[in-house]
């Protein structure tokens, strides 16, 4: 599978889609011929040093670090097998006459294992081997400094180094035979380098695990996270590495990882990631096919894509937990990061300040412009003012985005958390990003059975022992275990001193109907009065902030994240609040702030997903995203009970698609939608938000 097929290409501003090096039909078979492969005479394709094949794959892999790199090396062989080395010597048909030509091999078998080479055949075979040798030598030369770095980390006899030496030795023997320099016959037996690499990696991992166990025993260390992963959470194995980006789960572990997850009630984290990656592959092609489509067509076809690739995962675990919940006090932190330069620092701060970092697990959806063969773009930057004092803005080229996961995992102080499987990452190319609601849906799927679920933004700072304090605060709520903590955290600047926390928490007690032309009167929530940090227990509030809430993991079963809210920026908080409350969850304000958030005004010039939407569909600016959001918001407005949004009106407009699977992502059955509106004093007919006395005066336990 190429990087292009997985949607890893960057954004040129015109949404370039370079052609894949391979193509397949719906059944995954090659389209170029219907003949059996044994009758097909293969030819080695010309080597192009400028493509994104073997050399760049090796470069990308060698950019990884730690134990995750060893696991990701398996990807190298599977990708090379489907690209330049399709007929060559670095795949499962390595070495021997089979590696030279199927026809020659058949002749060899007919001759009893002796291979008579005529002049023409010898020249063809020699040219093929020379090209493959040249490719290997070129790749090794280009990556010499990377290999040196890798050897320093893992020693000269690491798995990749050993396998490459075996490959060169085999190629050398074959070349010697063809050139007539050696007396030995052409080797018949294949050298399966992929299996050799697999075996070597597994052996290295086993030895490394043993060395770690011995060292920990010597130091008296008990690794709770490793213990949980290995004994209490078998679904976290096989471990899917967070690096390098765009490692494909299916290529590491095979199609069975998806089948077991969807059909055999054997879910694994690697299987869920594989399902999400398959959706992203098809989304990439979808965006290419619908570049010129109208908004309603895009929305109809997008819902069909979600129904085909994501709904089977939803249906497989409907109304039940995907994984058993571990009662060990562990916390899963869900992060949706859109081209976020603070993701790495957010992770460092979270683990550094946690009372129990070994019980902290992260699911990060990294939506970046990776800059592979294309140019990345800035957000709208203010460059000055004109003579009338109006801002002069522009969007310009920029370097590829920093990978916060790589920053974190490369830091020696935190590498162990990546090796232990505490960092789970899904990489989404910027061009496939369609807003925070989709990113948060993806991130929620990276939950692996932890006791608590925390959703937050990826630009935060944390107070000391924040994890212990939030856990204690949740347990102090009267409605626990069905209590949700939520607030708008205080802001910070990057130059501020370390965050200590402790200020009085905000309370989400007010709302307004938006008057913005692009938000169509959607309800926006806001803060109200405060109650002081010294109350005996937390008290209830009206709303949940999508940028921070903390609850027990049963929340994910009762209020599953909705995959049918694409290109939507506003509306998620009122929907989340209504769904949680009607499913029996009470919402509480933490008495003290324990995290701080970087609020980002437009003058910072950071990229926005709606700018990307315009480029993807060839309509620069936010206008087309607004058209898509207008349709998407009708799902939320129908849920809340807007009088002008009914089934009949949606059918008349041709917008009934927004009600797809609504019964699974609408109001709950414990309390009604009408009860919620009365609870928070919203008059939906007059579109007004009244004063919520019980919330502002902290009267409801």
């Amino acid at each position: 599978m190429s990087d292009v097929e997985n949607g890893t290409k960057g954004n040129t501003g015109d949404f370039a889609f370079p052609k894949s090096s391979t193509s397949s039909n719906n059944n995954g078979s090659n389209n170029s011929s219907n003949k059996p492969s044994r009758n097909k005479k293969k030819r080695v394709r010309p080597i192009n040093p400028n493509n994104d094949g073997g050399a760049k794959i090796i470069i990308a892999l060698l950019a990884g670090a730690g134990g995750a790199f060893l696991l990701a090396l398996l990807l190298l062989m599977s990708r090379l097998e489907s690209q330049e080395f399709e007929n060559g010597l670095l795949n499962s048909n390595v070495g021997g006459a089979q590696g030279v030509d199927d026809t020659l091999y058949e002749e060899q078998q007919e001759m009893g294992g002796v291979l008579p080479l005529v002049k023409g055949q010898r020249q063809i075979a020699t040219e093929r081997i020379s090209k493959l040798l040249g490719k290997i030598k070129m790749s090794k030369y280009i990556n010499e400094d990377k290999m040196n770095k890798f050897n320093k980390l893992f020693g000269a006899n690491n798995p990749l180094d050993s396998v490459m030496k075996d490959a060169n030795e085999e190629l050398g023997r074959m070349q010697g035979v063809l050139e007539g320099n050696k007396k030995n016959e052409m080797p018949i037996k294949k050298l399966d380098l992929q299996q050799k690499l697999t075996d070597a990696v597994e052996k290295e991992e086993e030895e490394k695990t043993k060395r770690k166990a011995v060292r920990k025993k010597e130091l008296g260390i008990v690794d709770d996270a490793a213990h949980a992963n290995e004994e209490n959470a078998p679904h976290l194995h096989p471990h899917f590495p967070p690096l390098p980006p765009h490692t494909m789960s299916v290529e590491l572990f095979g199609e069975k990882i998806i089948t077991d997850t969807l059909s055999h009630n054997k879910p694994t984290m690697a299987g869920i990631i594989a399902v999400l990656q398959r959706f992203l592959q098809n989304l990439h092609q979808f965006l290419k096919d619908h570049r010129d489509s109208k908004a309603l067509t895009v929305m109809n076809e997008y819902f069909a894509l979600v129904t085909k690739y994501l709904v089977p995962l939803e249906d497989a675990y409907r109304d039940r937990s995907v994984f058993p919940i571990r009662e060990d006090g562990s916390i899963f932190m869900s992060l949706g990061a859109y081209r976020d330069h603070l993701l790495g620092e957010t992770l460092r701060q979270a683990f550094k300040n946690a009372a129990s970092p070994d019980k902290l697990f992260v699911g990060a959806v990294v939506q970046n412009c990776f800059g592979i063969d294309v140019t990345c773009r800035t957000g709208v930057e203010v460059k000055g003012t004109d003579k009338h004092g109006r801002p002069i803005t522009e969007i310009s080229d920029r370097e590829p985005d920093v990978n916060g996961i790589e920053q974190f995992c490369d830091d020696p102080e935190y590498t162990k958390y990546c090796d232990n499987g505490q960092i789970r990452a899904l990489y989404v190319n910027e061009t496939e990003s369609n807003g925070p609601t989709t990113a948060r849906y993806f991130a929620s799927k990276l939950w692996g059975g932890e006791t608590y679920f925390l959703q937050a933004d990826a630009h935060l700072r944390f107070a000391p022992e924040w994890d212990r304090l939030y856990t204690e605060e949740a347990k102090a709520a009267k409605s626990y275990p069905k209590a949700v903590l939520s607030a708008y955290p205080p802001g910070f600047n990057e130059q501020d001193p370390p965050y200590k926390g402790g200020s009085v928490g905000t309370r989400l007690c007010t709302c307004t109907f938006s008057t913005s032309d692009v938000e169509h009167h959607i309800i926006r929530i806001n803060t109200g009065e405060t109650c002081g940090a010294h109350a005996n227990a937390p008290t209830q509030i009206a709303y949940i902030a999508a940028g921070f809430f903390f609850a027990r993991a049963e929340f994910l079963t009762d209020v599953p994240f909705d995959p049918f809210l694409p290109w939507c920026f506003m509306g998620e908080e009122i929907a989340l609040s209504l769904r949680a409350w009607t499913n029996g969850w009470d919402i509480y304000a933490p008495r003290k702030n324990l995290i701080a958030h970087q609020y980002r005004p437009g003058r910072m010039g950071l990229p926005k997903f709606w700018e990307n939407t315009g480029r993807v569909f060839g309509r620069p600016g936010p206008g087309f995203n607004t058209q898509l959001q207008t349709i998407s918001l009708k799902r939320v407005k129908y849920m809340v009970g807007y009088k002008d949004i009914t089934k009949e009106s949606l059918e008349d407009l041709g917008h009934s698609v927004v009600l797809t699977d609504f019964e699974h992502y609408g109001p709950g059955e414990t309390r009604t939608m009408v009860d919620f509106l009365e609870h928070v004093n919203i008059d939906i007919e007059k579109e007004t938000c009244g004063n919520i006395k019980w919330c502002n005066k902290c009267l409801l336990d």
Side-chain angles (χ1 to χ4, degrees), residues 14-26:
D14 293 324
F15 196 31
F17 285 88
K19 293 183 178 179
S20 168
S21 58
T22 59
S23 61
S24 60
N25 59 24
N26 293 334

Side-chain angles (χ1 to χ4, degrees), residues 512-514 519-524 570-571 633 636-637 642:
T512 58
F513 284 77
S514 175
E519 295 175 6
H520 301 281
H521 296 255
I522 198 65
I523 297 171
R524 300 188 64 168
M570 292 300 170
L633 277 177
V636 177
K637 297 175 81 171
Y642 282 68

Side-chain angles (χ1 to χ4, degrees), residues 151-170:
N151 289 346
K152 289 179 181 178
L153 290 171
F154 296 97
N157 295 321
N158 64 72
L160 180 62
D161 189 54
S162 174
V163 170
M164 291 297 287
K165 287 179 181 177
D166 288 346
N168 278 340
E169 289 177 3
E170 183 78 354

Side-chain angles (χ1 to χ4, degrees), residues 673-692:
M673 178 265 288
V674 174
D675 290 338
F676 174 77
L677 295 178
E678 292 179 356
H679 178 62
V680 298
N681 201 10
I682 291 176
D683 188 325
I684 201 68
E685 291 189 9
K686 297 180 179 179
E687 295 192 357
T688 59
C689 297
N691 177 50
I692 311 173

